[in-house]
Amino acid sequence: MLVGVLQATKAASDAWKSMSLEEKAKYTNRAREVWDNYLSTAPARTPKPRKQTKLVTRCSPGRLFNVLQRLTPEQKAAVKSMGFGSLLGLRCRTLRRSLCLWLLERFNTTRCSLEICGERIPLSPKDVELVMGLAASGKDVVNSGPDDLIAVLRHSYNASNRGISVRLLEERLAAPEAGEDFKRSFVLYALGTLLSPTARLDVSPSFLHFMTNMDVVHQYNWGKFLLDRLVREVSRFRQGKQRAVGGCLLFLQLFYYESISVDGLGPLATAVVPCLSSWGEDEITEREKRERKLGGYGLGEVIFKERCLGMEYPECRDQLDGPPVDSISTGVERGPLFEQEGGTQADEEQINGEITMDEGDMPVLIRSKNVVCGDIAVVVDSVRVPCRNKEYGCNETVDYMNNDHEETCTYAPCSCPLLDCNFVGSSDQLSLHFSSKHWDSGRRFRYNSPLAVSVGMNEQFLVLQAEDDGVLFLLNKGVERIGNTVMITCIGPSSSKERFLYDLESVRGSSSLRLKSATHNFPGWLEDFHPTDFLLIPFCFLGSSGHINLDVCIWNSAELCADCPS
C-alpha cells in the first residue's frame, strides 16, 4: 500500500511540474479560497505563551570530554592542526541547565546580545575566540551546496534523513588512525555534540559541505559560525519550530561566568585565554554556590570588558591568533632602543607618540594604557585599530581607548529579517543579499508611489524593498487587545540620521484609517518592539479572511524628509 501511495505522489508531482502557469492558477486560486474560508470560519485561538521549565538540548560537553580522554598523541596533533586544539583543554562535563534557561530568556537574538545585570552585553566572534579558543577570522563556513558534491561522503557516513549517527562517529573516533577520516569524524562529532548541535539526535549531514577538503578547515571563521548557529537555533526554538534548544549553550554559560563577577570588582585577577580550560566541575560548583549565596543569577557586576584587557596567553596556546606578549609589534622602527637600558629624549618622544597597530597584532594584555613589551613598559597615548566594522566595509581606524566612531559608524551590521536566514552585513551588503537570495520573499516598490499590500493574519511583518536604491523597509504588524497595529521601519544602523516619510491607509467601505509618520532605523526585525506611533486597525475593520489590506506610500524626497520628526 505504501508503494502505491509513493507512486501516486510522484505521478502527481510530475503532472504538476508539467503544467503551465495558467493551468496551475486554477488550483492555487481554489486552494487559497479554501484556506481563506477556513481562516474566516475557524474560531480564533489565543496561542499560549511557551513556558519552558525544563531545558531540552543536544549540547553535551560530557560526550566530547569522554572522547577527548581516549585520543592518542597523534590524534591530538591532528586536532590542533585543524584549529580545534583549544577543545583538548575542555574540563566541563555538564551544563548548568537552570543557568542556561535563565540566559536564554535574556538572549536577544536580533541584537545578538545578553541583557543581564541592567546592561546589554553584545556578543561577537571575538568573544567566542576568548571563551572557546576558536578562530574569529578567516573564511565564512558555508554548509550548503549541491547534493552531488557530498554524495560519496553521505554514503561513507550512512547519512539518513535524520542525520549522521553520533554512535557511528564515536566508533570511528575510537580507532587509532589520525588521518583525514579521523579529522572529518572529529569535526562532525565536535559540531554535533558541543559547538553547533541542532534539535536532532544525530549530526546534521549539511556539515559535510565544508569538509570535502580537510586541508582548509583551519582557515575557517569558526567563532562566527558558532555564534550564527546559536542565534539561528535559539530563534527557531522561540518560533516553536523545534522542542529542543540547539547551539553551543556551553559558550553562553562560560561567557556569563567570565562576564559577571559575584565577588565584587576589586583588583582584576589575570585570566587565561581561552577561558574554556579554566572551568572544570569543581570551579563551576563553587561558582554556583556563590550565585545562590548572592541570591540568584544576574545579581553580580559586569566585568568582562575589563577582564578582556587583563587576559594573558599561556605558553602552550596553539589556537588564538596574535603574537606572544614578548613579541608585540608597536610599529616603532627604532628596534635597538629595546636592547639598551636607556635612550635619548627623541627616542622617548617617538615611543610616547601615536602608535598604530593592525587588529591582528593588538595585544590582549593591556592594563589601563600600558602595553608590556618584554621587560620594557611602553606608555601608549593613542593606540589606533581598525573599526570593528572593517569586515562590513569600513576603512576607518579608531582610538582603542577612546572610541566614538563606532557608535555612529554607517557600516554597523544589519541582519536579514527573514527568520530562517542568518546573513549579517552592512545595509548595502544586506540590500544586495536580499535582492539576490530572497527576491521572492518581499515586495518591490517605487518611492512616492502608492502600493497596495496585504498582510496575513499570522504574518508579523512584510519586507518592502525600494527599486531605486534597494533600501529595505519592514511593514510591522502587532496585536493589541482591540486590533492590530501597523507601522514601517527602515533596516539600517540605529545611529543613522536618515528618515523616510510614509503614509499608511486602510479602507473599508466609506470608512478609512490613515497614519502619516516617519521611519526609524533598526538593524533588523525586532521581536519585542514596542512602537511609539502606529496605525491601530480594529478587528472589526478586517475582512473575513483576517488579512490587513493597506495602501502604502514611502517618500524619499529631500524636501519631505526635512520635515520628518527626528
Side-chain angles (χ1 to χ4, degrees), residues 98-112:
S98 58
L99 171 58
C100 290
L101 273 175
W102 185 85
L103 290 171
L104 287 172
E105 292 173 356
R106 291 154 180 82
F107 185 28
N108 188 320
T109 55
T110 301
R111 295 180 178 271
C112 193

mmCIF file of all heavy atoms in Angstrom, residues 98-112:
data_model
loop_
_atom_site.group_PDB
_atom_site.id
_atom_site.type_symbol
_atom_site.label_atom_id
_atom_site.label_comp_id
_atom_site.label_asym_id
_atom_site.label_seq_id
_atom_site.Cartn_x
_atom_site.Cartn_y
_atom_site.Cartn_z
ATOM 1 N N SER A 98 19.678 25.256 34.693
ATOM 2 C CA SER A 98 18.910 26.390 35.213
ATOM 3 C C SER A 98 19.541 27.703 34.765
ATOM 4 O O SER A 98 18.831 28.651 34.409
ATOM 5 C CB SER A 98 18.841 26.324 36.743
ATOM 6 O OG SER A 98 20.151 26.326 37.301
ATOM 7 N N LEU A 99 20.859 27.764 34.732
ATOM 8 C CA LEU A 99 21.542 28.965 34.264
ATOM 9 C C LEU A 99 21.303 29.159 32.766
ATOM 10 O O LEU A 99 21.044 30.278 32.303
ATOM 11 C CB LEU A 99 23.043 28.873 34.551
ATOM 12 C CG LEU A 99 23.924 29.962 33.929
ATOM 13 C CD1 LEU A 99 23.483 31.343 34.391
ATOM 14 C CD2 LEU A 99 25.394 29.738 34.264
ATOM 15 N N CYS A 100 21.390 28.085 31.996
ATOM 16 C CA CYS A 100 21.180 28.193 30.551
ATOM 17 C C CYS A 100 19.767 28.681 30.233
ATOM 18 O O CYS A 100 19.569 29.521 29.345
ATOM 19 C CB CYS A 100 21.449 26.852 29.872
ATOM 20 S SG CYS A 100 23.197 26.371 29.863
ATOM 21 N N LEU A 101 18.771 28.177 30.965
ATOM 22 C CA LEU A 101 17.400 28.641 30.773
ATOM 23 C C LEU A 101 17.290 30.131 31.083
ATOM 24 O O LEU A 101 16.641 30.897 30.354
ATOM 25 C CB LEU A 101 16.443 27.858 31.667
ATOM 26 C CG LEU A 101 15.876 26.547 31.118
ATOM 27 C CD1 LEU A 101 15.045 25.847 32.177
ATOM 28 C CD2 LEU A 101 15.036 26.812 29.890
ATOM 29 N N TRP A 102 17.919 30.545 32.160
ATOM 30 C CA TRP A 102 17.894 31.953 32.568
ATOM 31 C C TRP A 102 18.547 32.826 31.505
ATOM 32 O O TRP A 102 18.047 33.910 31.177
ATOM 33 C CB TRP A 102 18.601 32.090 33.910
ATOM 34 C CG TRP A 102 18.547 33.460 34.505
ATOM 35 C CD1 TRP A 102 17.559 34.007 35.261
ATOM 36 C CD2 TRP A 102 19.573 34.470 34.387
ATOM 37 N NE1 TRP A 102 17.884 35.295 35.617
ATOM 38 C CE2 TRP A 102 19.111 35.611 35.108
ATOM 39 C CE3 TRP A 102 20.808 34.527 33.763
ATOM 40 C CZ2 TRP A 102 19.858 36.774 35.201
ATOM 41 C CZ3 TRP A 102 21.553 35.693 33.845
ATOM 42 C CH2 TRP A 102 21.077 36.801 34.566
ATOM 43 N N LEU A 103 19.650 32.359 30.937
ATOM 44 C CA LEU A 103 20.350 33.119 29.905
ATOM 45 C C LEU A 103 19.547 33.169 28.609
ATOM 46 O O LEU A 103 19.512 34.197 27.928
ATOM 47 C CB LEU A 103 21.722 32.508 29.647
ATOM 48 C CG LEU A 103 22.755 32.672 30.759
ATOM 49 C CD1 LEU A 103 23.998 31.843 30.469
ATOM 50 C CD2 LEU A 103 23.136 34.138 30.944
ATOM 51 N N LEU A 104 18.890 32.071 28.252
ATOM 52 C CA LEU A 104 18.098 32.042 27.024
ATOM 53 C C LEU A 104 16.955 33.050 27.081
ATOM 54 O O LEU A 104 16.593 33.649 26.067
ATOM 55 C CB LEU A 104 17.541 30.633 26.787
ATOM 56 C CG LEU A 104 18.565 29.590 26.330
ATOM 57 C CD1 LEU A 104 17.950 28.204 26.328
ATOM 58 C CD2 LEU A 104 19.107 29.930 24.954
ATOM 59 N N GLU A 105 16.367 33.243 28.265
ATOM 60 C CA GLU A 105 15.297 34.225 28.404
ATOM 61 C C GLU A 105 15.808 35.642 28.175
ATOM 62 O O GLU A 105 15.029 36.538 27.847
ATOM 63 C CB GLU A 105 14.671 34.110 29.799
ATOM 64 C CG GLU A 105 13.910 32.811 30.026
ATOM 65 C CD GLU A 105 13.457 32.666 31.474
ATOM 66 O OE1 GLU A 105 13.813 33.549 32.285
ATOM 67 O OE2 GLU A 105 12.762 31.687 31.781
ATOM 68 N N ARG A 106 17.101 35.852 28.359
ATOM 69 C CA ARG A 106 17.688 37.188 28.252
ATOM 70 C C ARG A 106 18.599 37.331 27.039
ATOM 71 O O ARG A 106 19.360 38.276 26.951
ATOM 72 C CB ARG A 106 18.462 37.495 29.548
ATOM 73 C CG ARG A 106 17.522 37.675 30.725
ATOM 74 C CD ARG A 106 18.182 37.360 32.057
ATOM 75 N NE ARG A 106 17.225 37.541 33.146
ATOM 76 C CZ ARG A 106 16.323 36.610 33.491
ATOM 77 N NH1 ARG A 106 16.273 35.459 32.829
ATOM 78 N NH2 ARG A 106 15.482 36.847 34.478
ATOM 79 N N PHE A 107 18.508 36.367 26.134
ATOM 80 C CA PHE A 107 19.329 36.380 24.926
ATOM 81 C C PHE A 107 18.543 37.052 23.809
ATOM 82 O O PHE A 107 17.532 36.532 23.339
ATOM 83 C CB PHE A 107 19.695 34.948 24.537
ATOM 84 C CG PHE A 107 20.643 34.844 23.359
ATOM 85 C CD1 PHE A 107 21.537 35.859 23.081
ATOM 86 C CD2 PHE A 107 20.633 33.736 22.543
ATOM 87 C CE1 PHE A 107 22.404 35.768 22.008
ATOM 88 C CE2 PHE A 107 21.493 33.625 21.466
ATOM 89 C CZ PHE A 107 22.379 34.654 21.201
ATOM 90 N N ASN A 108 18.984 38.232 23.403
ATOM 91 C CA ASN A 108 18.350 38.971 22.321
ATOM 92 C C ASN A 108 18.965 38.508 21.006
ATOM 93 O O ASN A 108 20.101 38.858 20.676
ATOM 94 C CB ASN A 108 18.559 40.477 22.514
ATOM 95 C CG ASN A 108 17.767 41.309 21.523
ATOM 96 O OD1 ASN A 108 17.664 40.964 20.351
ATOM 97 N ND2 ASN A 108 17.214 42.414 21.993
ATOM 98 N N THR A 109 18.218 37.703 20.243
ATOM 99 C CA THR A 109 18.764 37.120 19.018
ATOM 100 C C THR A 109 18.872 38.152 17.903
ATOM 101 O O THR A 109 19.689 37.998 16.991
ATOM 102 C CB THR A 109 17.894 35.950 18.542
ATOM 103 O OG1 THR A 109 16.540 36.391 18.394
ATOM 104 C CG2 THR A 109 17.923 34.810 19.543
ATOM 105 N N THR A 110 18.058 39.212 17.953
ATOM 106 C CA THR A 110 18.136 40.244 16.915
ATOM 107 C C THR A 110 19.404 41.063 17.062
ATOM 108 O O THR A 110 20.114 41.343 16.095
ATOM 109 C CB THR A 110 16.907 41.165 16.979
ATOM 110 O OG1 THR A 110 15.721 40.383 16.803
ATOM 111 C CG2 THR A 110 16.972 42.226 15.886
ATOM 112 N N ARG A 111 19.702 41.465 18.289
ATOM 113 C CA ARG A 111 20.897 42.265 18.544
ATOM 114 C C ARG A 111 22.113 41.404 18.878
ATOM 115 O O ARG A 111 23.222 41.926 19.030
ATOM 116 C CB ARG A 111 20.640 43.227 19.707
ATOM 117 C CG ARG A 111 19.586 44.273 19.412
ATOM 118 C CD ARG A 111 19.404 45.190 20.616
ATOM 119 N NE ARG A 111 18.427 46.235 20.367
ATOM 120 C CZ ARG A 111 18.702 47.410 19.841
ATOM 121 N NH1 ARG A 111 19.945 47.702 19.511
ATOM 122 N NH2 ARG A 111 17.770 48.309 19.653
ATOM 123 N N CYS A 112 21.901 40.087 18.998
ATOM 124 C CA CYS A 112 22.967 39.152 19.383
ATOM 125 C C CYS A 112 23.650 39.656 20.657
ATOM 126 O O CYS A 112 24.843 39.989 20.670
ATOM 127 C CB CYS A 112 23.986 38.990 18.258
ATOM 128 S SG CYS A 112 25.105 37.582 18.514
#
